[in-house]
Amino acid sequence: GIFAYIQLDGSWFLNNAGCIRGKRSATVIDSTGTEARARAFHAAVRKVTDLPVSVLVNTHSHGDHTHGNFMFAPESAIIGHQRCRREMLAAGNAAMVLFPMVDFGDCPLEPPTVTFSDRLNLYVDDLEVQLIFVGPAHTTNDIVAWIPERRLLFAGDVVFNGGTPFALGGSIGGWLDALDVIEALAPERIVPGHGLVCGPEVLPTIRAYLEFMFESARRGIEAGIDPLALARDLDLGPFAELLDPERLVPNLHRAYAELRGEPRGKPLDGARMFHEMLEYNGGQPLRCLA
């Protein structure tokens, strides 16, 4: 009765979502990033249940996980972290301008209508779903949905399977702490925010990448090299095969900021970060197949 909705290849704006089917109602985890994909996801939910969707959980505020909320509102209560609501309202649909090659369609903004700060338990019939705040990590407002009876975790973008972690709006150190929380839960199966369903075997790669960001940033600061210049000369080694490698640039900016004592999750200049990712790509646009 638990379904993962996987959008391959898991690169920019190709996220995952899910559905938990009960006997009286259903709960959905995240939505999708365009009008067409939101309608396709809604149709997929309707193939596994015709029951009302009483709850939609947003694991964080980014548009690939929230643009499709409109397909479930206002019939569904939308639950997210209190910062998720604030950041969605502040950003609107600004992310759409970053990917001009994508037909986003009409995605009216529908932020969470129920928010919490630390933990919130919800039930699908008698099945407990624990919503746990683990941010700042990928964003300031990351939550995971943990189903202890099934040892199953909907991890949102705290887990990328096969993709480069992206900490522009979050924290490298906070993300490492979030991995500690996930490992302590001891999940047997993980639905990542992007990529194929997996198990905890993917967590060491994410941890190693984030630690590599800190190690590289320390060397860059000591050498007086700015993050973009460092990124251009950096050998990614085992991480070179991860999707969307240009995320390296804002990740290094985030690591520099934290090593210099800036608070976790403090906003960076998003426009500059995306411009520098384009520079890292040799002027080529970000690869987005949404």
Side-chain angles (χ1 to χ4, degrees):
I2 302 179
F3 301 86
Y5 187 76
I6 307 300
Q7 298 190 106
L8 297 177
D9 60 0
S11 53
W12 288 106
F13 255 79
L14 292 179
N15 70 301
N16 299 330
C19 176
I20 307 171
R21 183 181 64 201
K23 295 178 180 177
R24 295 178 297 174
S25 66
T27 290
V28 167
I29 311 290
D30 280 332
S31 58
T32 56
T34 71
E35 179 185 2
R37 290 182 178 275
R39 295 187 184 283
F41 173 51
H42 188 273
V45 170
R46 285 291 161 240
K47 287 181 180 179
V48 299
T49 180
D50 59 1
L51 295 170
V53 175
S54 59
V55 172
L56 163 62
V57 175
N58 284 154
T59 60
H60 62 289
S61 57
H62 283 172
D64 51 338
H65 295 257
T66 61
H67 280 171
N69 286 3
F70 74 93
M71 286 299 299
F72 299 94
E75 292 81 6
S76 307
I78 304 175
I79 300 178
H81 190 266
Q82 57 193 17
R83 293 177 184 163
C84 177
R85 176 179 171 84
R86 289 203 298 264
E87 293 203 8
M88 282 184 66
L89 290 171
N93 288 331
M96 293 181 178
V97 303
L98 302 172
F99 301 99
M101 72 291 288
V102 176
D103 180 6
F104 285 97
D106 185 17
C107 299
L109 188 68
E110 293 287 352
T113 54
V114 178
T115 65
F116 66 99
S117 60
D118 186 29
R119 297 177 70 109
L120 179 69
N121 292 350
L122 62 90
Y123 291 84
V124 183
D125 296 335
D126 293 328
L127 185 67
E128 182 183 56
V129 182
Q130 299 177 4
L131 305 181
I132 306 169
F133 173 57
V134 295
H138 170 62
T139 68
T140 64
N141 54 93
D142 301 289
I143 65 173
V144 298
W146 169 235
I147 307 172
E149 183 179 314
R150 308 290 182 87
R151 315 304 302 173
L152 171 65
L153 183 74
F154 281 90
D157 283 3
V158 180
V159 176
F160 284 82
N161 183 12
T164 302
F166 186 44
L168 168 60
S171 165
I172 302 292
W175 203 327
L176 289 167
D177 290 345
L179 293 178
D180 290 341
V181 173
I182 290 175
E183 289 168 349
L185 294 174
E188 295 177 359
R189 189 64 85 188
I190 297 173
V191 180
H194 296 257
L196 291 170
V197 175
C198 55
E201 70 279 353
V202 305
L203 301 179
T205 297
I206 302 169
R207 182 180 294 279
Y209 178 89
L210 297 170
E211 291 173 343
F212 178 59
M213 290 300 97
F214 268 151
E215 293 165 5
S216 301
R218 287 190 185 96
R219 295 197 302 270
I221 290 172
E222 291 171 0
I225 302 171
D226 69 79
L228 177 58
L230 176 63
R232 284 171 166 158
D233 291 335
L234 202 58
D235 180 2
L236 288 174
F239 311 115
E241 299 304 314
L242 296 177
L243 293 171
D244 308 315
E246 65 274 359
R247 294 172 182 167
L248 167 67
V249 182
N251 289 341
L252 287 173
H253 274 280
R254 177 59 65 188
Y256 271 55
E258 291 184 35
L259 291 173
R260 288 169 170 160
E262 296 287 349
R264 292 177 174 183
K266 180 180 178 180
L268 299 178
D269 184 341
R272 176 187 174 189
M273 297 301 101
F274 273 84
H275 178 74
E276 290 194 4
M277 282 193 284
L278 294 177
E279 287 192 54
Y280 179 82
N281 275 352
Q284 296 300 309
L286 303 181
R287 176 181 176 273
C288 183
L289 306 178

